Amino acid sequence: MNNLEPLKLFQDLQLVSTKYTTLKLKDTEKELQDNKKLNSLLEFYKSSIDQIKEKSNFVSKQTRDELRNASSKDIYKALTDLNNLAYDKYLFVKNSAIDIESTTIKAVMLSTVDELILINKSIKNKEYLEDKNTYLYIYEKILVNSFMTFLALKDMDIENKKRNNLSQAILSQIKTLSIISM
């Protein structure tokens, strides 16, 4: 695997990781509680990362099994459709996150979606063909982290529609990754 730093995708992902650090918590009890709860949930799910990877691998295996006998044309169509579905769901979540009151939830959700959008666009542009192992490594790391973050966010007070769209987007992106790794 090549060094990651020269890759534009890696550099863009690093920018996203600092994009929301300037947001300041409101000086309210609710903000402080949300921050503590979300950090606690993230730590909990981080300790369960192996189970999260297993779930992701299970979805990937199912996707590959479903496409085992499909033609190249059908596989490409599935890849394109899943990637487009994920992108549409990301945009919905990103645009609807504006009305989230909690600074912590908003920052975590938006940074996660921004990272996923970068991966989605990278797949759409077929950047992974430059160095498949390196790109798949990056995609997998971000997706597993996003899956973990989603699990933490689902335990927070966010609207069902946002939660469902984020869930569908991440699952679609996991399936997309599974297809390109075939």
Side-chain angles (χ1 to χ4, degrees):
M1 184 171 357
N2 292 333
N3 190 5
L4 302 178
E5 285 80 13
L7 297 176
K8 182 179 180 335
L9 175 62
F10 184 78
Q11 294 167 8
D12 290 345
L13 287 166
Q14 284 185 312
L15 290 174
V16 168
S17 70
T18 60
K19 184 176 180 179
Y20 298 99
T21 56
T22 59
L23 290 178
K24 300 290 182 211
L25 290 178
K26 299 171 191 135
D27 194 20
T28 65
E29 187 63 31
K30 173 98 170 93
E31 281 281 305
L32 296 174
Q33 287 174 352
D34 283 349
N35 192 37
K36 286 180 186 176
K37 182 178 179 182
L38 187 55
N39 281 320
S40 173
L41 288 166
L42 288 169
E43 285 302 315
F44 170 75
Y45 286 111
K46 214 176 271 185
S47 70
S48 305
I49 199 74
D50 289 336
Q51 290 92 347
I52 293 169
K53 286 180 182 179
E54 285 176 22
K55 289 177 185 178
S56 178
N57 289 337
F58 178 75
V59 171
S60 293
K61 184 182 178 323
Q62 276 187 315
T63 302
R64 285 191 299 275
D65 288 348
E66 289 172 10
L67 294 172
R68 182 177 296 136
N69 297 322
S71 69
S72 296
K73 184 179 177 182
D74 290 338
I75 292 171
Y76 181 76
K77 182 175 177 0
L79 171 72
T80 303
D81 290 349
L82 286 166
N83 207 47
N84 288 339
L85 174 66
Y87 185 74
D88 291 344
K89 300 292 181 181
Y90 296 144
L91 289 182
F92 173 84
V93 173
K94 188 169 175 103
N95 291 333
S96 66
I98 293 168
D99 66 354
I100 294 175
E101 287 292 318
S102 172
T103 307
T104 301
I105 294 171
K106 185 184 290 189
V108 170
M109 184 180 286
L110 288 174
S111 62
T112 300
V113 169
D114 285 350
E115 288 176 345
L116 290 166
I117 286 172
L118 287 172
I119 287 172
N120 184 278
K121 287 181 179 179
S122 176
I123 291 170
K124 185 175 186 170
N125 294 332
K126 300 177 186 169
E127 293 173 9
Y128 58 90
L129 295 176
E130 296 172 22
D131 182 351
K132 196 168 184 177
N133 290 336
T134 301
Y135 278 87
L136 288 175
Y137 173 80
I138 294 170
Y139 297 160
E140 182 181 333
K141 291 292 183 191
I142 296 299
L143 276 167
V144 168
N145 188 55
S146 297
F147 196 0
M148 178 194 67
T149 302
F150 163 74
L151 292 172
L153 285 169
K154 80 172 179 50
D155 294 337
M156 299 296 290
D157 296 327
I158 59 173
E159 181 187 333
N160 278 342
K161 197 167 184 175
K162 288 179 188 72
R163 186 172 47 239
N164 291 340
N165 275 278
L166 186 57
S167 171
Q168 290 172 5
I170 291 171
L171 288 175
S172 295
Q173 204 69 72
I174 290 170
K175 290 177 180 183
T176 302
L177 179 61
S178 175
I179 294 170
I180 64 172
S181 69
M182 290 174 75

